Amino acid sequence: MTTTRWVAAGALALALAACRAGVGVHEAPKDQARAVSVVRVELRPIAGGLVTSGVLTPRNQVSVNPDLTGYRVSKLFVEEGDWVKAGQPLAQMDGSILQAQLDQEAALAAEQRATADQRDKEAQRVAGLDDQGVIAEEQLQARRFAALSARGGANAAVAALKEMQTRLAHLTVRAPVAGQIIQRNVNLGDISGGGSTPWFVMAQDGQIELYADVSEGDFEQMRPGVRATVTLADQTTADGVVRLVSPRVDATTRLGRVRITLPVRTDIKSGGYARASFQDMSRAVPAIPETAVRFDANGSSVMVVGADGKVSQTPVRTGQRGGGYVELLSGPPPGSVVVAKAAAQILPGDYVKADLSTAAASSP
């Protein structure tokens, strides 16, 4: 038993001495380093590497307001989300008072027409009697003037009747275009007035676009026709095409705006958030082969080889992928040497013999 205790104590002393000397448990001796394939972190163009985000907005947003003021809303025909045709009724205002005025105008117009017809007949009876001495000249002119005046009054009454009929027709608020109702700001009983808030807001033809902001450095590559994959908030995607590129870059944010046309779908809603990945574009980003990234319970990382051949583990955050390479959003800077195959049985603190010629050969 005494001998056993001495052996255990000796092993413990050796372990403590090793720790004081700075030799890690997973650190292999430098003279036992083994050769591994390595690659450098380099700037590489990755297709679809440009990703941006923005707000879903109608391509043509149409505000609908009543033409008349002072009338109470008596009927509403649509709700938010409804699809309507051009000219379809959206709301109806109470026209009982206007209808009574219209009836009065119609009666007055009929009376004025009858009077005008009577005056025309009286003027026709004295036609051709000028300078014959049968009727005084003053009476002839008086009848003709009365006929003209009565006809003018009748025409004015008819015009007033038509104006009243037009006002009555405008008590029905109609959709100026076909599309989807995306906002309704009016309720039964409201009085039409000159408020700044529209009664209805429409997306013409239901067409929604993504208004996306692009950094100044990438903005120069933008052009109409560039394809994009747009990811919605629920992670569903839609194919989009750049329709319009703004002619200016914001002086404060250094961002330029592009408009991406999207298909008409019920799940693409105005005001929502979405991001776009541009398929026809590429940009140079720090990248390494996908095989160099290892995954464990702590996330993704790479094994970085130092100048002395010692390996250290560095966490990374990856981005776009393409052509067998993956973008490094965070991690070792360009020029760093990393182990090419994450499956290699190498631990932090190990020494390796890195074939730098292999790393150089991996350059584009």
Side-chain angles (χ1 to χ4, degrees), residues 1-251:
M1 294 297 292
T2 303
T3 303
T4 304
R5 291 195 185 97
W6 278 107
V7 171
L12 178 61
L14 289 173
L16 291 174
C19 290
R20 292 192 187 98
V23 179
V25 176
H26 298 292
E27 186 171 316
K30 189 172 184 179
D31 58 0
Q32 296 182 10
R34 60 191 179 94
V36 296
S37 297
V38 295
V39 292
R40 293 188 185 275
V41 179
E42 296 175 325
L43 295 178
R44 287 178 173 270
I46 295 183
L50 177 57
V51 178
T52 186
S53 60
V55 178
L56 298 170
T57 307
R59 175 173 178 174
N60 292 314
Q61 182 169 295
V62 181
S63 297
V64 184
N65 281 303
D67 297 327
L68 305 176
T69 61
Y71 294 90
R72 188 179 303 277
V73 177
S74 59
K75 295 179 182 179
L76 290 171
F77 303 112
V78 296
E79 296 287 349
E80 291 184 357
D82 288 351
W83 292 80
V84 298
K85 299 178 180 179
Q88 182 173 329
L90 306 180
Q92 177 69 49
M93 292 180 283
D94 183 12
S96 55
I97 297 177
L98 197 58
Q99 183 62 56
Q101 295 174 345
L102 177 64
D103 294 340
Q104 293 178 354
E105 291 292 343
L108 178 60
E111 181 182 356
Q112 293 286 359
R113 283 195 297 268
T115 301
D117 292 342
Q118 180 63 32
R119 295 293 182 264
D120 284 342
K121 292 178 181 179
E122 293 176 357
Q124 291 173 3
R125 291 193 189 101
V126 297
L129 298 181
D130 298 85
D131 301 326
Q132 294 186 14
V134 178
I135 298 179
E137 186 67 22
E138 291 80 0
Q139 292 180 344
L140 291 175
Q141 295 300 329
R143 289 192 180 186
R144 290 168 181 166
F145 177 78
L148 291 174
S149 179
R151 184 56 59 189
N155 292 339
V158 171
L161 177 62
K162 290 182 178 180
E163 190 270 342
M164 193 65 64
Q165 291 171 336
T166 301
R167 289 174 62 85
L168 189 64
H170 279 250
L171 288 178
T172 302
V173 180
R174 300 180 181 274
V177 296
Q180 186 180 30
I181 304 296
I182 59 175
Q183 192 174 356
R184 196 196 81 182
N185 303 306
V186 61
N187 297 299
L188 291 174
D190 288 352
I191 303 296
S192 60
S196 59
T197 303
W199 276 15
F200 302 93
V201 178
M202 296 181 58
Q204 185 174 3
D205 299 325
Q207 184 70 63
I208 303 295
E209 293 184 330
L210 176 62
Y211 282 32
D213 293 323
V214 180
S215 64
E216 184 178 12
D218 297 319
F219 193 61
E220 295 301 323
Q221 304 181 60
M222 282 295 170
R223 65 188 184 278
V226 170
R227 294 176 299 164
T229 298
V230 176
T231 303
L232 306 178
D234 61 357
Q235 301 307 307
T236 58
T237 61
D239 294 330
V241 178
V242 174
R243 179 182 68 86
L244 183 65
V245 178
S246 173
R248 60 182 291 272
V249 173
D250 188 274

